[in-house]
Amino acid sequence: MATEFIKSCCRGCFYGGTEKHDLSVERDFKAAVSNSQNTAICKPPLTSVSVKPQVGCTEDYLLSKLPSDGKEVPFVVPRFKLSYIQPRMQGTPSHLEELEGSARASFGARKVELSSSSQHGPSYDVYNPFYMYQHVSPDLSRRFPPCSETAKRYGSVCDLRTNRLPNSPGLSKSMFDLTSSSQQFIQRHDSLSSMPSSSSSRKNSQGSNRSLDTITLSGDERDLGRLNVKMFYNSSVEQIWITVLQCRDLSWPSSYGDNPTISVKGILTLPKPVHFKSSVKEGSNTIEFMETFVFAIKLHSLQTVRLVFKIQMQTPRKKTIGECSLSLRTLSTQEMDYSLDISPPSKISVCHAELELGTCFQAVNSRIQLQILEAQYLPSSSTPLTLSFFVKVAMFSLGELIYKKKTRLLKASNGRVKWGETMIFPLIQNEKEIIFLIKLYSRSSVGRRHFVGQIWISEDSNDIEAANQWKETVTNPEKEKNTELGDSPWKQACACPEDVTSCLKVACCKHNSEKRALHSWHIARMCRDAQDSHGLSLPRAMLSQSQIKMELPLLYVMILLLNIFDFSSGITYNKGDTEKRFACASQGFPQKNEIIKLYLSSDDLKIQCFFQSEIELTSKEFLSVFTSGGLAPSLGIINSTYTGIFHFNLTLFSDRVYWLIDIPRENITKNTDIAAVEEWLVRITLQHGLNIYTTEGTLLDSIREPILQWKLGTVMTKNDIGKLYPHVVDLKTTKCPCANDVVLLGFIMNTTLDGVYIGLSFSGFWNYDDTTWYNLTDMVYSQVGEEHTELSMVDMVLTNHFLVILTSLGLFISGDLRYPSSSVLMFSRADFCGFERAPDMGFETVLAPQYITLNEMIFYAYVPENEPKESIYTKKFNDIHLGKLIHSRKTGTAYIRKILQHNTPEGFLSSVIAEIIDPFGIEEVHESSCLSSSLSINQAGNFSYKLSLQLQTSGVTSSFQDSDIEKTVVIPGYSSFLITRILDNENALAIATMPETVPHNMTFLKGSWFLYNFGQRDGRTWNIHSKPCNYWFQQHDDSLSLNVLKYIDLGKSHALKIKVIPNTKGVQTLEIPLLKVVVGNPNLLEVKVEGYFDGTDSYLMEISAASKTLRQGSTSLAFIVWGASTECLVTTFVPTLKSSCSYLKSMHHIPSEIIPLEDWISGVHMDSQGFNMIKVLPINYRPPSNMGIAIPLTDNFYHADPSKPIPRNLFHKSKKSGKFKQCANVSTREECNCTNDQKFSHAVAFSDCREKVPRFKFPVTQYPISLKIYSEDGHIPVETPYLVTVTEVNNRENWNLKHTVPENVKKMKDYLESILHAPVYNPLGLNLSIKGSELFHFRVSVVPGVSFCNLGEEFQIYVDEAPLPFPGHTLIALAAAVLLGGLIFIAFMFQIHNIHPWDTCKKLMRTNNVNSTNITAN
């Protein structure tokens, strides 16, 4: 029956017959399955497949598996469970909403078609989650194309129901998954959501505390194996295909036997989980499954969940032996292979929360910024209690805990919490191997805390995203461009309201941390933000690419993604659905989510605003409703110095569907001169009732922006740009300091193509057509010569007045951008720069050497008479050769010390003076036979001389040869002669290098004259290279940075010592300073410099910089080794000195007795007399006031707990005072979120958290107040001129201070007291006495004017065991005296009257004893 049923299905499939899957067919199918316990085989003829296939079936994945040899394929009837057959439903499943019916009902048709395409051999069951024929699957490398029309007909094996998740953008690469245990390298249980975090701590050998919940607690460390799966998403039919391939290196407990049966269970963790299960296999080291499962689920629903696999043992007993999971947020149409580590099963529930972070390394400030942005997919509470979440961050260095911080406690909304908090972690020089541990916790409304998950951020993190983010953070720190340009000619004041340093910055995360992603965020994160904020629509596949394909559209997209955060103005434009919303544009109908970018030209500014709808009639109706009510938008143009409001016209024309405003230029600005001005912010607002419609954008004055007035070079077409893409290896960008939309983009080329290519955009690369590309190659070669190669851009900087381009052949500076003299921007080469890295800087000409001394030579560069004027510069020395080395192909090296340009002698227009390092080789007789003769010199013309040979020895061949042309005759003590022409064997013409010293009519014998070959007839025999590193640079401190930052406080100084060690061989060391010091801001600090040579010819320079005025700021000191070679690793040392307060400078009170941390935690620390010096304050404690202990009047609570009653709160004044700070607006102390640092802090800001304070016995007399100032340079005691003021923060009295005031300080003390209206004390020898009781809270502050820092410190003293205050003590003493006197008087009266009360008492006692005896006898 089952076989006939399947055959009918096969025939119906391949002959195009389709039937409805109604209830009767379903019942028949159930019966067929239930009656068919044995495997039934259907063997239809193969021709049924090949003769009449369905249209498009040849591209199907399963049909592609048919054998090519025509063998029949058996078909296996699977044993389906009815719950996994697509059921009939009254309602549409939420997972399949908006899916086509053919996709939802595809299983039946798909199964029928599969039956007729079955094959012999191994079978590959695609849809059955419970059955697999026992054979190995064929190759799985091929897939059917997603565009197949037939594929749209197929659906899932099951129908899925779940709540529909809200739409969300693509997940960011900065979203760290807190659930994957395989991605953590310290804690094994970080993926478990219900693990309680231990509050106890342990102390390591260095004294640092580390929370116990970071210790590995896993008991099973065995490797359980790996699970190999494949997965992809078929977007055409909206199906996910999951293929379970095999389990490798699988291990299990020995108690389960040698051959247990094993299966794999999969779970899609949707709100209503989807389960599927493989067939059962016999256990072995490697188990082949080869089973595919297909489900029709929306992609956006899948990308918010995980796929969990459980390795289950079926016999001898059913148990899960391991599990692994995979996030689906990167699911795409590209098939991916995954190899998942199998970990031991977790006994607690797993949470799949994800945390979004941002990091920024601020090298200048020596700190790391960590942004806790948001968490999503958070767990929900299984009880009516609400959950709140917070994040704890711990910073470790070399395994030691350095800092701990945490965020606010916020309630989750739809499984998401947004903190947006920035944490700053200072760094010191000895901190290495920095690691961050970020933990996510939940807290219920009853105060119970649960650990959700964690992520480690470090270079060695097993989480790839975390490791990549950390590497990007460290390698791309915030850096200030051109900080060394303090006295450079192109430095100009910034016209916009920023300081000069800000104007020169390319990007700085600390200025835009609230509006822009940090530098270390990944491209995918920037893509997502760009999509959210600017309406950028990109394919998801593009966001995950790791390499740039240099195609025109993709290049434009990458430029936008990499730079949009630096270039845009920080505004969020047109967020949300724009189908029916307010929108504006400068011209035309605005596109969806189009950014408003306006440009102010010489014409009027025109803006059109719409109440946008897809239907023009609807837009007109909206417009009429608002206009009839007298409503129209208003335009605000804003910058830091100007605000203007303009109103749109209310009068509408009949055919207009928009509001229009026309603003003359002079109403906005009357200036038309070229100058850098701040870009305006444009805000257009329409208010209707309680609704405010706003859209924002930018306005750029294109008339005044300097760089926009120039052509940078030869304009390039799109085709020209396209040819460059294969040779581009990197990009460099720079933007105008005052106009964020004006941007330059430069290509860094590889060695196969030379040139400098720059694109100029005035829209921040928002529109590609707004970008003009220029070729600046000809400009560079016009400065250095065409013979140079390997030309490429290195970097560039755009300032308000200049464009500076650094290339591989030097530094080029533009003319002043404000004064256009021509349409093309001209550049000049800064010859001093020394950035040339060409392998050979020689040029194609002949050199004629001329000795000056034994160690010095002049090399003349020969220029032929017929050389064209336009190419003469290619035959001359220029400044690029200064400091370089001339090498001879034979032997010899000389160091170029000076460049000379001249017009005489004839034929030599330039020369260099060089110091000989290695002697140059001369020509031998076998190379030039003329050397065997004597030589006579006679003048043959105005500028030429005839050289004649005279044979000295008969029988020797000696003559001039053609190979002697371009050789130089050198005669010691006389001019040298460059041979230019051979007349005959005995005569040649030459030109003299020094015509004044020509030996006329003289003959020189053999051996007294020489030949040198610096020609180029057989290839140039000489070259010019950079000299090897000839100086060592040494810093005389412990700093290893070349850009160290030092803070100088008011009245302080900082000393630097630099040493330059010569490493010269054969080069004379001149006794001239080897270092040049350039001070960027000479008016800020008083800089003194002293330089000298030591006994080893090393040059030392000592610099002292002092802050003498109240002016704050920063300056750079550039120490330049002017004679160093470009081959040296270090030629310049640029420290930055800040005349301001250091972030690490603080003042601390040193208590008279140090209490260890463990004693503070326990609350017990006994002194030598057994007195506990730690006081645990009562809950909601407030110190007494001057009105008494029972009437506290301070607003400060200590040891606050809002859930507990407030003591001493009986009087009206006490009830009016007292305000919670940390515990405000919470109901329990746990919700105050007090950290350990806050609990031990003396600051009044954290008094709510303070639980324990130092305890002293009454009275406290002469308590020494010892203060020290700590900074990065160590610590010093607080002494004059650091005078201080002391106050009690709770306004308590009964205390006084004693100090000594030297005569030289008394006048300053009196002056400050008259200004501050408070007592001023000398901190040295300051003593405190207290006559009151309970808590005293003191604040010590340094007076202003002696430091840039607001130095202050607080400390607390609890005075205990105090006597009763007056009049209680006196009254008790009087009462005791009266009582004692009364007793003495009564005793005296008894004695006078002979009354003995004691005898009477004894008599009565005897009487009672007798009576008791009688009673007992009776």
Side-chain angles (χ1 to χ4, degrees), residues 362 369 478 480 499 501-502 505 507-515:
Q362 293 182 316
Q369 282 190 358
E478 166 203 357
E480 299 184 356
D499 56 34
T501 304
S502 299
K505 288 179 182 176
C508 180
C509 58
K510 70 178 179 182
H511 290 298
N512 297 319
S513 60
E514 297 298 329
K515 299 178 181 179

Side-chain angles (χ1 to χ4, degrees), residues 102 165 219 310 325 390 445 574 597 707 909 1052 1057 1103 1352:
S102 60
L165 297 175
K310 295 187 177 183
S325 64
F390 67 96
S445 56
N574 298 350
K597 287 188 177 292
I707 192 65
L909 301 183
K1052 303 297 182 182
K1057 190 174 182 181
I1103 304 96

Side-chain angles (χ1 to χ4, degrees), residues 453-524:
Q454 69 181 23
I455 185 72
W456 290 85
I457 297 183
S458 71
E459 185 176 359
D460 299 325
S461 176
N462 286 354
D463 189 302
I464 298 177
E465 297 177 5
N468 289 342
Q469 173 154 349
W470 181 251
K471 291 178 183 177
E472 185 178 354
T473 301
V474 174
T475 56
N476 298 292
E478 166 203 357
K479 55 182 178 181
E480 299 184 356
K481 298 284 187 179
N482 296 329
T483 54
E484 69 278 8
L485 303 181
D487 59 348
S488 299
W490 58 81
K491 177 180 175 182
Q492 301 290 338
C494 185
C496 61
E498 300 177 3
D499 56 34
V500 175
T501 304
S502 299
C503 280
L504 296 179
K505 288 179 182 176
V506 174
C508 180
C509 58
K510 70 178 179 182
H511 290 298
N512 297 319
S513 60
E514 297 298 329
K515 299 178 181 179
R516 288 291 171 262
L518 302 179
H519 281 187
S520 59
W521 284 13
H522 303 300
I523 292 177

